[in-house]
Amino acid sequence: MNSKVKKSAMAALLFCALSIVFIFLLKNVDVVPVGAYGSVVGLSSINRFFYNLFGLNMFWYKLTNYPGMAIDVFIVFIFAVIGLNQWIKRKSILKVDKSLFVLGVTYAVSLVLYVLFEKFVINYRPVILPGKSVLEPSFPSSHTMLTLIVVGTAIMECARMLKNLKTRKAINVLLYSALIITILGRMISGVHWFTDILGGIFIGSAILAIHCLMLNLIDTGKIKNRMR
């Protein structure tokens, strides 16, 4: 087995296992009603420590809320346009780069996970936000998970598409900056428990590792770069 394929497969298994174990711990260890309206929270001691450390910061909440999601939507839109352009130029959807199909599947799986965690609640937010009157699902931090996936896949795809090193580095700086600001901003905003952020990182990393595995399979020829 190709070393890159093996490493990405191991990373995918590791982060999938971490995500499952982490959810199990949240549902069974140190579960105490310390959330808003007395909602129960797993690993409550560490969650209370970080919440008391940062408190509620609406500036970071607003900064990372809609602007953060707008960045993700913009990146997805760019790759959709690239795929559409290839389809038109090559006169067949089957000739669009395979990596873009993988990208589409990755985004779709991410949205399915987002909906599932909205329906099957692990934790609720530590606070009731202004203008809200009901508990809102909090695990995983969807901004953390989705931004990690979208930015991570964008970095991988740029490495495949862009030949100019300076351009690629400049884009990577912007992408990494958006990712770091989003993750740190959501953590210190106080609208999530600390474990929500970790959950977003673990689950997002699992999806990224699986995406990377598929790209490595393309590169090794086990999946052709273009559909036939």
Side-chain angles (χ1 to χ4, degrees), residues 22 46 139-140 144 193-203:
F22 195 59
I46 188 172
F139 180 93
T144 298
W193 299 107
F194 178 67
T195 52
D196 298 337
I197 306 299
L198 284 183
I201 293 173
F202 289 157
I203 297 169

Side-chain angles (χ1 to χ4, degrees), residues 201-217:
I201 293 173
F202 289 157
I203 297 169
S205 296
I207 299 300
L208 269 184
I210 294 171
H211 181 85
C212 185
L213 172 60
M214 298 304 294
L215 294 184
N216 286 332
L217 288 173

Side-chain angles (χ1 to χ4, degrees), residues 74-75 78-79 151 154-159 161-162 164-179:
F74 176 73
I75 293 172
I78 290 296
F79 285 115
V151 169
I155 290 170
M156 293 181 201
E157 204 60 36
C158 285
M161 291 183 169
L162 298 177
N164 188 296
L165 186 59
K166 289 185 178 179
T167 301
R168 197 162 70 216
K169 284 184 176 180
I171 292 175
N172 282 349
V173 168
L174 294 175
L175 290 172
Y176 278 116
S177 297
L179 178 60

Side-chain angles (χ1 to χ4, degrees), residues 41-159:
V41 179
L43 300 176
S44 61
S45 296
I46 188 172
N47 278 320
R48 281 184 295 177
F49 171 80
F50 279 98
Y51 182 76
N52 291 334
L53 182 65
F54 296 118
L56 179 64
N57 190 315
M58 291 302 295
F59 168 79
W60 281 105
Y61 168 71
K62 292 178 180 178
L63 180 65
T64 57
N65 197 32
Y66 293 115
M69 293 307 295
I71 292 173
D72 292 344
V73 171
F74 176 73
I75 293 172
V76 172
F77 174 76
I78 290 296
F79 285 115
V81 170
I82 292 172
L84 181 60
N85 184 57
Q86 289 186 5
W87 183 1
I88 294 172
K89 283 187 174 181
R90 297 171 184 175
K91 300 179 180 180
S92 173
I93 192 172
L94 298 179
K95 293 182 179 180
V96 173
D97 287 355
K98 190 74 171 182
S99 63
L100 292 178
F101 282 96
V102 175
L103 195 63
V105 172
T106 297
Y107 291 158
V109 169
S110 303
L111 288 177
V112 169
L113 284 175
Y114 170 77
V115 172
L116 283 176
F117 282 113
E118 288 289 309
K119 298 296 183 181
F120 301 97
V121 180
I122 306 298
N123 275 340
Y124 289 101
R125 290 193 190 280
V127 294
I128 303 296
L129 293 173
K132 305 287 184 178
S133 59
V134 296
L135 293 168
E136 296 179 282
S138 181
F139 180 93
S141 165
S142 56
H143 283 74
T144 298
M145 181 184 76
L146 294 177
T147 301
L148 182 60
I149 293 169
V150 171
V151 169
T153 54
I155 290 170
M156 293 181 201
E157 204 60 36
C158 285

Side-chain angles (χ1 to χ4, degrees), residues 7-20:
K7 288 179 180 178
S8 54
M10 291 178 64
L13 287 173
L14 173 63
F15 281 111
C16 285
L18 275 175
S19 300
I20 293 170

